[in-house]
Each structure stands twice: as structure tokens, then as C-alpha cells.
Amino acid sequence: MKRSAVFILILLISILKPAKGCSYYPYGEDVRFHLLNPESFGYKDFAPFYYTANMFSPAQELINARYNRDSLESSKRMNIELWRKRCKCAVSEKDVYDAVYLDSFLMNDPDCKNKFIQYLHKNNDVEAIKYLDFAKNISMFNSFFEDPWERYQTATLPQRTAFIATGLKKVNDLKDEDIKLRYAFLIIRLCYYNSDFETIKKLYNENFGNREEKNIIDYWSMYFFALTEPKGALRNYHAAMVFTYAPDKRFMVEQVYCKKISVSETLRHAKNKKEIAAVWLLAGIDNPARALECIKNIYINDPHSDGLSFLLLREVNKLEDWIYTPYYTYFEPSVSPENYNVYSKNHQRILRDKAYAQEVLSFVNSINCKLIESPKVLEITNAYLLLMTEKHSASLAKLNAINNELNEGNTLNEDINILKAVCLTAQQTNGSAIIFDEIKPLLMQQCRLNNYRFIFAIARELEFKGNTTDAALLFSKINVGQYEENSLSWKSRHHHITSWDDYYTNYFYYMDAEYTTNEMVQLITDVEKSKDKDVFSSWKYSMLKNDLPRMYDLLGTKYLRENDLINALSSYEKVNDTLWKSKYFSYKTYLNANPFYTDFYNEHNKTAADTINYNKASITRALIKYINRGDDINEKDRDYYFFLAANCYLNMTQYGNSWMMKRYYWSSSAVKSNLPDDKDYMNCDRAKLYYLKAKSLSKNKKFAAICLRLSGRCEKYRLVNELRDKFPNLEWEKFSEKVFKANKYYSQIKTQYPDYYEDLISNCFSFEDYMKTRVQ
Amino acid sequence: MKTRLLPFTAFFLFSFLLFSCKRNTTIVDRGFYFWKNNKYSLDSADLNRIKSVSLHKLYVKFFEVETDPVFGTRPYAKTELHIWNSYNDYNNKTDSVLCYTMSQLNIIPTIFIKNTVFKHTSKAGLDSLADNIVFLINKYFKKNIMKDSDYKEIQIDCDWTATTKDNYFYFLKQLKSFSSKTISCTLRLYPYKYPDLMGVPPVDKATLMCYNLINPFENENKNSILDTKELSSYLKNTKRYPKHLDVALPVFSVMQVYQNNQLAGMLNPNKEELVNVLQKIKPLWYEVIKDTELENIYLRKGDKVKLEEVSKPTITETIDLLQKYVSFDDTTTVTLFHLDEDNLKKYKNETIGSFYTDFTH
């Protein structure tokens, strides 16, 4: 009996690490902290490489949804310009685009409405017309098809092979260099999908290999050529050229780049400074860690490169993640760098990353803004780096200057204002942090946009600086929107784990974990005194004003954890009784149980004593009464009242029917919450204290024995928790034996009440019989 | 006089032998066609049939081949059938008869090739086709049938024509060369009767297809699956075919639905619901007497339905005709089309068994 009891106990109690189960756990983009939005800067041609935690799903997916469909992607524009040049710019970009990229017009129709096609017919540009017609006819073959015979990964198609033969003849026969090269590109592309790599190599080397002046046709051809090359420095070199000069191929060609080959090896193939810069650009793009060396080398060789501006911006986004993700949320940065061991502890990591931010800042300060493509990017990255390295005044000055330069409608204004707000809040001293008037409209605006990261940054800065009240009010605004996009998770600074996992998405449970009773009192006082004096105040207090009953309930719970029963009761009495019947509480599910009753084994099951309904206030009131009576030396049933108090304290632990007096979450896999009362909650110290008091005062031998027996039950829980860590691999039978033997209270029963020993230890039904002897 | 008579006599004797020396088969190898491509395994009804007839051969359609404008010749309708992963699956089962039958069962990959494949294909294309077919058969046999075993024969099912004959026959030769297996092919009655016109395929043996003799929409009064008069016209006065012949017989039925005298669709004729909604109006023809929805076809009262079935007497008569007019070797494979319980449920096991045994009587 005793062993099975211990076994059941062990099954019920397993002290584990924070539960990370098999359900969702925030990671990647859910965790990454970011304030600076790369979309605000344009660089759509680099969109797949915006810094993101989704290394395998590029940001392009997100960007495409917001992509300006009227704007032409750069590579297409370059191609259109070549056609316009052929037409001596006599036709518009739109006409060329419509003819080349849409299926609305027939190439062979001289009367068609498209002016580009009309021009070609009018000027008897037969080869161009034939070429465009050919290009449209083969378009469906520009992809891989599965081999229906299942011999190879892809199929070699007879019709595609026929088109290749036709195209090759054109390449050989044509004198028109422009059209000849275009055919060569088309055939190279067809050969790629036909897995004919030998023809690709031959065609490329004969037609493109030695050209000095290259255009988009060269780089498109180079792309497919690079795909056929073996891994090596030359392939990397070609990939780098394609990356820089054929924007539409960037995402694919980046995957061809081999990081194992050193940049210096690849650089041997670069012929001039621009090419050197291009090699460094791809190396930088492919580097999820510190890429300052790449950035510096691009600046040296091609300072006007748009890749330089983009990489700078990206480096700042990385630093945001490395510094602010752990600083604000206590999660690790979303993208782990290659040498993961460097990132062992949050604080040291942040310091190292701030030191790196300083390095980047020093470099940015050394840049001649007249040489670079985007001075605005330079200024903004400068300002943000100043903020990251805690030079708040300088950062603010910079941000204000940028604000003054930008037009009112410029999308960058929002990013600047956000950074300014964080800077203003962060630069305040501890103990005097407030929400500045000038950031109030921004807070409300960003909340409407579900920019919870910004709200959270302000809230955290206030919290860190001691203004926990305003912090809580802002926390209450987080994750309340309809959509899960932008939702935020964060952890407790003091490693408190009070729910099913070790992170929080909701202000209430976070305050449960982190706020002291004093902080709760300040918050409640502030909310109660608040008046809707302006729009911001109405907004700020709106959530908590409606949630005051929950605040009082939480305060009462915190007092109870400290065993401050008077204050706990006072708080509970301010709670509207309907709260305890609402969806927030598990009373309905777990209780209508009597917290003053227990026996040897029952923990969460209903018992015969469950005929009275309690709420938190009435439990606390009754507990105070019973303790007072137990303390009263004139009371004749002191032992009994202490016994009731002990039962209540036991039921308010992990193992009892009233755990929700002290916790808002319960699991059979008990987790150390690291709250101040954890020891009592898990080891039943207070319950044991009162059982022993009851025993010492009892004149009824059987009742005293029960008190000792229940002390033993409390001791059992303590021993399981203590010995579990010491003997993690011991089989349960031996472990339960160990626990039992170590239980001094059971030994005491044997010595002090030998006649009752078997009954109390082995007979499940003895409790009621023994209790009957103690008639109240 | 005697010398002048000698060639005549020899000719007479030769003709007599040619036209009258007909042998009856004494040993029948029992076969079934399996023609479904989306069935994953043989179910208990299938296994029951296999066991009850002590089946020797299962002709499994592995895939079909057609011409596609993009891919050229390509396979489609690939089989998903998995017969067994190892003999152990059946050795461990308690039915020892079934276990034994399965252990002895020959699986014959059968490939249906559309005639159009051979219309304009070059020799190189035909080489490639043969090579690809062998590759895919081997792959599917190992993957789906039996990893550690092998097959002995490939059957090609193709309704070649006089214009595609050369390409088809070239293909068959190449197939034999690449596979090193016994090659059989299906033989419709027309090429059987007119080998001079249609050629004799260069195969090891041919299976005479005694069904689908008529275009189903040509003659409303005839059973397009098997009309014995039609069959008889092909079999009579036909020279002995210069290849080993096996036979395929039909055990399926087909239902055509006509609305306003137009063909509206085909139905599975084995649906139980049809029993109460059809009324016979003349041989092969029924009228719908009650509005009924079935398999996405809405049968309206008054619609006409042509039900083509093959009865036991018809099969028996067919066998008689075959025995009378066709010369078979001592051992012949008789294969029924096809293993599908929906169609077979109208035949008892004994009836099915008799379709094989009647050949040796």
C-alpha cells in the first residue's frame, strides 16, 4: 500500500525542466525583435535578403504581398531598355513591356495595336519579330518536367530538343549580333532544363565568355552557365557577378555560392574594383553573422554600390536581433550564428554585440557620405547604432536632424519616430522614467497597427527603470489584436515560470510571475485614481480599469504566497464575486472542494466533505479564524483548529484541491516556478508545521497519530523533491523504498504509536475510523 | 501417270494436314488479367478467387503508353498494386492452400500501348521506348511485386494496324533483346485471321483475345463484348497460326446509358440498385422505370440501357468454337479478363473453374 502510494506520488510529481512539450514554442520570426523596417528603404531587388529568422523562406513571400505591382523589376527594365535602344527609343517602356512580357499581342500581326510590334514591322526587323515569336513559343519549356519513365530526376523533352536545334541554327547563321546573343541565351536556358550541360558550356564560351561590355543578356546566360560549373572559386565568381548585375536571379544564384571557398580564392578571378566589390557583396549577403569586413571591402572598391547601403541596413537589423531580442524578451536571438558557443549567456552576449555595434558605428563614422549611394541609409544606421551603444543624446540629435530633412509623407518618418521614442525613454534615469507627451500619439498609433514590439520596448524600458505601473499599463495593450501576426512573447527576468511554459504573451500572467505586492498596490492605486483626462489616458487605462477585480485577486494571491493573510483577505474582499465564477478561474472545474478536509491520499479528487462552496475570500477568512483559535490558549480544541489549518495549507499546495489559491496554472508535471513561496508550495512546509502543532497539543492519541501521519505525508513530498534530483536514474521501486525509509515521521509513528502503525501506513480506510475518535 | 499424280497427292495431303490437323490442348495454365491501376493490394475477394481456381498466372497491367506532344512517348496509368513484400507475408498466414498458390503464382507485367505510338516514331525512338519499358517494368517489379524475385515474361497489348506493323514488330524485337524475357502479345481476331495482311508479330507467343469483337456503338443488336456468330466468322477456315497461341476470355459486363437516343455514359452494371429500376424490352436492352441517381448519372424514367454481359453458356460456346477451329499446343494458357469482384460475383467459383477445365474436354 505504502509503495503504491509513493509510486502514484512519483507519477504525479515529476520535477522537470520548464515544459517545452510537443506543442508550439516561439522561435524564429515570432521571437525576433525589430524596430527598423527594411521595407521602408526600398531595395526591393534585395527583398529576399532582408534580415529574417526564416533562412529557408525568404522575406520575398512577405514582400510580394506589398510589392508595387506597377514598378518593374530591375532586370526586366534592363531588358526593355535594350529593346528600346534597338528601336532608337522611339517606343515607350510600356509598349515594349506589353509586347515582350504579356500574351496580348501576336508578333506576326503588323496591324496589332502595340507600337513596339508596329515599329518592328514598319522597319522590317524580321529577325527581331522571329526571335520574339520563337521566345514565346518556347516559354512553356523553361522549367523542369519530371521524367515519366522515372529514370532521371527530370525529363529530356523531344520538342524542347527540337527547339534547341532550331535555336542553335539561328545562333550559327545570324549576323545580327544582338539577336544572335538573345538566341544563344534562350538556347542556354532550354539546354539547362533539358539537362544538356555540354551545349551550355560550348554556347556560353563561344558567345559570352570573352565579351568586355556585358548587359543583362550576358548575366542571364552567365547564371545558367554558373549552375553547370563544378563547385569552386570560378563558380563563386560567376555567382557574384550574376548576383550584382542580374537582380531577378539573386535568390537562386545565392544558393549556388559555396561558403567553404575563401573569398580570397574567389577574388583571384575579379578583374576590376567593381567585380571585387561584387564578390564581397555576395560573401556579405551569405553571412548571417558579423559581416563588417565584407561591408568595408565593398566601400573600398565600389562605395556607390547599392549593395553597400543594403548590407549596412542588414547589419543593423542583425544587431537589433542580437542585442534587443535578449535584452527585451529574454529569448535568444532568432538566428543563431555559426559559432553558437559564443552565445552562452544573455548578458555577456549583449555586451559583446554592443561592442561589435561600436565597431560598425566607427566604420560608419568614417564613411564619406558623398561617395555612397544612399546618404539617408548612412544617417539612419548611424543614429540607430548610437542608440544601441547607449549614446542617447547623440542618437536623438541625429534622429531629429533626419526628421527635419524628410518630407512629411516619407515612410521613413515612422521608423525615425519609433527610434526617437525608444531613445527618449531609454535615456531616462532609474526611478524617474515617464511616458513623454511627444510619444503618446505614437504609442496609440502603433498599437492600432499591432506594432507590439514598439509598445513592448517602451514598456520594458519603463519597467527596467522602475516605472512598473506605466509598464504594466502598456503591457496590457500587447497581443490584443485580432491577428497573430506581430504577436510577441517574452520571458521573466527572474526566471519565474508560472504557466505551462517559460514565456508570456499576456500582461496578467506576466505580472503574476514578476510583479511584487508593492508594485501591484501602486498599479491598482494608480488605476483607481485615474481619470479620463485626455485621449491617451483613456486609452492607457482602458484595459486595467475593466480588469480591477482580477488585479485585486492577483494581489490577494501574492499576499497569500507571503502568508500575509490579513492583506490577502482585504484584497480578496475587493474582488467582485462573479470573477470566481467566470472563465478566468478553474474553480468550476476543480472545486467545489473543501480546502479544510483531506485524508491520507486524496489530492484532487472530490471527497465526501465537499458540500460547502468556498471562494478565495471565505477560505482566507476561515483560515485566519482557525489559526487564531489554534493560537488561543484558552481554546479547548486548539489541536483540531490547527489540524484544519494544516489541511488548508496542504490543499493550497501542488498536491491539494485548492492549489488555485496560490497559482494560476497547475500540471501534474510540476514545474519549479521560482516564486518566493515555491518551497512551501512544493514541500508543504507550512502544512507540516501546523500538523505538528496539532499533534503536540492533542490529548487524543489516535488523533495525534493522524497528525503525525499527515506530517509524514507532507514529508514524503519534500523527500521526493529532494531525492529525485540526487537519484534521477533509480528505479521507482527502489526510489520509493528510499523515500519511505527516510521519512522520520513514519519512523516516529512506529516508535510512538506502534499499535496504530499498520493501520495508518497500510490501511487506506483507516483515516475515517481514526477521525471519528476526535469528535468536534 | 504416277509421277504426275505425286505432286498433286502431296499437295492434297499437305492441305489436309494444314486444314484438318487440329490438336486439342491437354494442359491449361490458368490466368487472370489484373487491369486496375489504382488498387493498392489484392483484397480477400481477389485472393479467394486466386485460391479457388489455383491460379498459375496473373497478368498485371503495369502501365499504359501513349504519345504526348511534350514528352513524346510516355507511360501513364501506372499500377499501384503491391502483391507482397516477401513470401513471408503469405507463408505466415494460416491458409496453406492460398500460401502455396501465391508462392507459385507467376506475375506477368503487361503493358498496353496505344497504336498511335507506332505511327511516326523513328527507330531510335523505338529503341528508346523498348529500353524505357524494360527499365520501368524492372523498377516496379522490384518496388511493388517482389524485391528478390524476377519475372519471366512480358506481355504487350497493342491493337496494331497494317501501317504500324513494321514499327511495332521492330519494337517487339528490341524488347526481346533488351529484356531477355519471353515476350508475348495480344492478338485480336482480325490479325489472327489475316496474318498475310497484318503480319505475324515476332514474339514467343500470342494471346488470342476473344472479346471486344465489335465496335460497341456499331450494332445495337449485337453484344460487342462477345458475339459467338461474329467469333465464328473469324475462326472458321483460318489457317493454323504460326505462333504458340494462348486464349483470353471475357468475364465482365458493360452498361451503356442512352438518353434521347444519345449515349449519355457508362455505368457499372453490377450495382444492386439497378435490379429494381430496369425492365427488359428486348435482348440486350432495358428501359429505366424509375428516376434514379447513380454514379453521377441521373437515370430518368424512359432512358434506355444496353447491358452487355457474358454468360456461362456463351463462354462454353466460345470454348467449343475454339476447340473446333483453332489448333492449340499441348499446354495453353487460358486467361480471364479480368480480376474484379464486382464483375465476377455473378459467377460461382465452380463456373470460373469450368472455363479452364472445359478446354481440356
Side-chain angles (χ1 to χ4, degrees), chain A residues 28-29 31-34 51-53 316-327 331-336 353 384 388:
Chain A
E29 281 295 280
V31 157
R32 185 170 74 92
F33 204 86
H34 50 91
Y51 182 71
T52 168
V316 163
N317 279 142
K318 286 183 201 171
L319 280 163
E320 259 188 323
D321 182 20
W322 297 342
I323 295 172
Y324 289 130
T325 301
Y327 176 67
F331 275 97
E332 288 169 2
S334 59
V335 181
S336 301
D353 290 324
Y384 202 178
M388 287 181 194

Side-chain angles (χ1 to χ4, degrees), chain A residues 140-141 145-152 155-160, chain B residues 63 69-73 75 78 129 131-133 135-136 139-140:
Chain A
M140 73 162 275
F141 292 99
F145 290 78
E146 267 186 26
D147 179 16
W149 293 105
E150 302 179 27
R151 294 185 92 138
Y152 311 106
T156 299
L157 305 178
Q159 199 167 351
R160 188 158 52 196
Chain B
F63 50 89
V70 172
F71 290 96
T73 51
K78 296 173 185 172
L129 176 63
D131 188 40
N132 281 333
I133 284 176
F135 174 85
L136 201 56
K139 182 174 178 177
Y140 271 60

Side-chain angles (χ1 to χ4, degrees), chain B residues 37-215:
Chain B
N37 46 278
N38 56 0
K39 195 165 175 183
Y40 188 81
S41 60
L42 299 171
D43 57 30
S44 56
D46 297 328
L47 292 171
N48 192 37
R49 289 288 178 186
I50 288 172
K51 180 177 102 171
S52 72
V53 305
S54 300
L55 198 70
H56 299 120
K57 294 178 181 177
L58 188 64
Y59 290 80
V60 177
K61 184 183 69 151
F62 269 35
F63 50 89
E64 302 185 26
V65 180
E66 64 176 0
T67 302
D68 178 89
V70 172
F71 290 96
T73 51
R74 54 165 286 170
Y76 68 103
K78 296 173 185 172
T79 185
E80 290 178 26
L81 183 67
H82 290 69
I83 303 247
W84 57 83
N85 290 322
S86 68
Y87 282 123
N88 292 335
D89 283 0
Y90 287 89
N91 282 345
N92 286 336
K93 293 193 189 330
T94 52
D95 189 337
S96 57
V97 174
L98 176 62
C99 284
Y100 179 75
T101 309
M102 291 303 291
S103 71
Q104 302 297 305
L105 187 64
N106 274 318
I107 304 298
I108 297 164
T110 305
I111 313 298
F112 174 75
I113 307 180
K114 284 189 176 170
N115 183 48
T116 46
V117 166
F118 298 106
K119 273 193 173 160
H120 302 296
T121 314
S122 65
K123 290 284 184 294
L126 293 169
D127 290 343
S128 183
L129 176 63
D131 188 40
N132 281 333
I133 284 176
V134 171
F135 174 85
L136 201 56
I137 289 174
N138 287 342
K139 182 174 178 177
Y140 271 60
F141 197 90
K142 279 189 171 28
K143 188 172 68 131
N144 293 0
I145 308 300
M146 187 64 170
K147 198 175 87 171
D148 301 322
S149 182
D150 204 359
Y151 59 97
K152 297 186 188 114
E153 180 184 332
I154 297 172
Q155 181 164 105
I156 301 297
D157 181 3
C158 176
D159 296 338
W160 82 92
T161 56
T163 50
T164 60
K165 175 187 73 173
D166 291 341
N167 276 350
Y168 179 51
F169 289 1
Y170 174 82
F171 159 76
L172 287 171
K173 280 188 198 150
Q174 295 304 88
L175 187 69
K176 174 81 180 180
S177 166
F178 292 153
S179 67
S180 305
K181 305 284 185 203
T182 300
I183 303 296
S184 63
C185 73
T186 54
L187 182 68
R188 296 252 168 245
L189 284 160
Y190 186 83
Y192 166 74
K193 190 163 178 79
Y194 303 107
D196 296 334
L197 185 63
M198 297 294 286
V200 175
V203 291
D204 299 299
K205 45 190 173 167
T207 299
L208 188 63
M209 313 297 274
C210 298
Y211 53 90
N212 291 352
L213 308 187
I214 308 166
N215 183 319

